[in-house]
Amino acid sequence: MPPRKIIIDTDPGQDDAVAILLALASPDEIEVLGITAVAGNVPLALTAKNARIVCELAGRTDVRVYAGCDKPLNRALVTAEHVHGKTGLDGPVLPDPQMPLADGHAVDFIIDTLRAEEPGTVTLCPLGPLTNIATAFRKAPDIIDHVQEIVLMGGAYFEVGNITPTAEFNIYVDPEAADIVFKSGKPIVVMPLDVTHKALVTKPRNDAFRALDSKVGNAVAEMTDFFERFDKEKYGSAGAPLHDPCVTAYLIRPELFSGRRVNVEIETGSDLTLGMTVADWWGVTNRAPNALFMGEIDADGFFTLLTERLARL
Ligand code: BDR
Ligand code: CA
């Protein structure tokens, strides 16, 4: 099978960085057509810079990185420096990128790329707020036909929320954008907190990254060390959840994950529950399923895959 063509839409973010590294380390399964940066964990100038730092870390200065939307569709930007640090990529000391940003806006890149590819052949992989993707869908609805699938990190059902008691960060930051994407009619695979909170970077897993004894292995160990300090304190768990790499791991080994096809609606009205992913997990409505909402992960299999692939960079 030829590799799957993907666009990674991202707000790096240490876990975004690991997701990108996993994709770039897996050319047999994944062809990265480009990376589009969006404002999220930190403002756009930093996410666009961090995406290039990660490409350079992987030795892939050929990957095109575009800057996209600098704020949500209808709201002020909410960021997460309290988790990711001031730069968004705190932890390792990595050089400023030498590679320039690609010319043009990320939204136009998404539109032009989808139009240039056959219908149903490009997978979108959003790892941050859905502003770029929703803007592209609104500006050029014809491109939706060219999407094969949307595999995203966002939302929660049993775990409910991380940025508010009822909302996960990526959906909360731009709920109107999420609403557009979930109503797009395309197949969606959701990696919610229910899954990612089981993908914990425990000490032995972090040691395995470090034991690679490579630039990439050390950087990933230091990145995950950094955001552990926040998550361990918050959840009292054995390690921090590695959210976004669940998306790229799914493209390589989907059998590591299981879930249910359910209806998912996004709360955009209530102040109290803004950004909640209302997933009909128990099938109590007659709303048509619009997403494969994951619930379980083979965490050992996931970390084995990740470590093996990082060793290739
Ligand atoms: C999501 O929010 C960000 O902080 C992470 O990068 C991840 O995409 C988890 O809620
Ligand atoms: Ca992210």
Side-chain angles (χ1 to χ4, degrees):
M1 258 220 307
R4 201 158 156 170
K5 296 179 183 191
I6 74 166
I7 295 174
I8 300 178
D9 188 65
T10 177
D11 63 337
Q14 293 89 348
D15 61 322
D16 301 71
V18 180
I20 294 167
L21 292 171
L22 177 56
L24 295 179
S26 308
D28 288 346
E29 296 92 353
I30 299 174
E31 180 186 349
V32 180
L33 298 176
I35 296 179
T36 51
V38 68
N41 285 322
V42 284
L44 180 68
L46 287 172
T47 60
K49 176 179 170 187
N50 292 345
R52 288 176 289 147
I53 290 177
V54 176
C55 290
E56 289 191 3
L57 176 63
R60 290 294 304 277
T61 49
D62 58 304
V63 177
R64 289 172 297 172
V65 176
Y66 293 84
C69 299
D70 62 359
K71 59 173 175 4
L73 297 183
N74 299 349
R75 296 171 190 275
L77 177 65
V78 175
T79 53
E81 284 88 354
H82 59 293
V83 184
H84 300 275
K86 259 225 305 266
T87 66
L89 219 48
D90 279 20
V93 179
L94 294 168
D96 278 353
Q98 298 303 305
M99 61 188 277
L101 274 174
D103 287 337
H105 195 283
V107 167
D108 294 322
F109 167 74
I110 293 170
I111 293 171
D112 295 344
T113 304
L114 283 166
R115 281 183 178 155
E117 298 288 344
E118 292 296 311
T121 59
V122 178
T123 296
L124 301 177
C125 298
L127 310 176
L130 288 153
T131 322
N132 284 342
I133 307 294
T135 306
F137 283 3
R138 262 206 325 208
K139 194 169 166 188
D142 58 288
I143 64 171
I144 296 175
D145 222 31
H146 293 242
V147 175
Q148 179 183 351
E149 197 173 30
I150 301 165
V151 185
L152 65 87
M153 191 280 136
Y157 181 69
F158 293 98
E159 292 284 309
V160 200
N162 59 358
I163 185 77
T164 74
T166 58
E168 180 281 328
F169 179 80
N170 290 340
I171 306 295
Y172 176 77
V173 172
D174 200 341
E176 284 77 16
D179 187 46
I180 290 171
V181 170
F182 276 83
K183 288 184 173 144
S184 67
K186 287 318 279 189
I188 302 178
V189 178
V190 182
M191 292 293 169
L193 297 179
D194 308 324
V195 166
T196 67
H197 281 181
K198 293 171 188 148
L200 300 179
V201 188
T202 56
K203 170 96 177 39
R205 289 169 179 163
N206 187 282
D207 289 346
F209 297 143
R210 217 173 282 275
L212 295 176
D213 200 21
S214 65
K215 223 163 68 175
V216 168
N218 287 329
V220 169
E222 285 165 19
M223 283 185 213
T224 50
D225 260 348
F226 179 83
F227 70 76
E228 285 223 336
R229 96 224 172 287
F230 169 81
D231 283 297
K232 271 182 169 167
E233 205 172 294
K234 179 173 172 191
Y235 297 112
S237 54
L242 204 47
H243 307 281
D244 295 336
C246 291
V247 166
T248 39
Y250 175 80
L251 302 178
I252 304 165
R253 291 202 47 203
E255 68 280 6
L256 291 173
F257 303 88
S258 60
R260 292 186 186 183
R261 243 169 233 296
V262 300
N263 177 271
V264 181
E265 306 277 329
I266 310 296
E267 176 59 61
T268 56
S270 153
D271 281 344
L272 188 63
T273 57
L274 187 69
M276 188 172 192
T277 43
V278 181
D280 189 8
W281 185 261
W282 300 111
V284 294
T285 74
N286 54 12
R287 297 196 283 259
N290 60 348
L292 174 56
F293 200 86
M294 293 303 186
E296 293 298 332
I297 177 174
D298 168 359
D300 284 333
F302 167 75
F303 279 97
T304 301
L305 170 74
L306 179 58
T307 311
E308 269 172 20
R309 295 299 166 107
L310 294 178
R312 297 180 182 180
L313 292 173

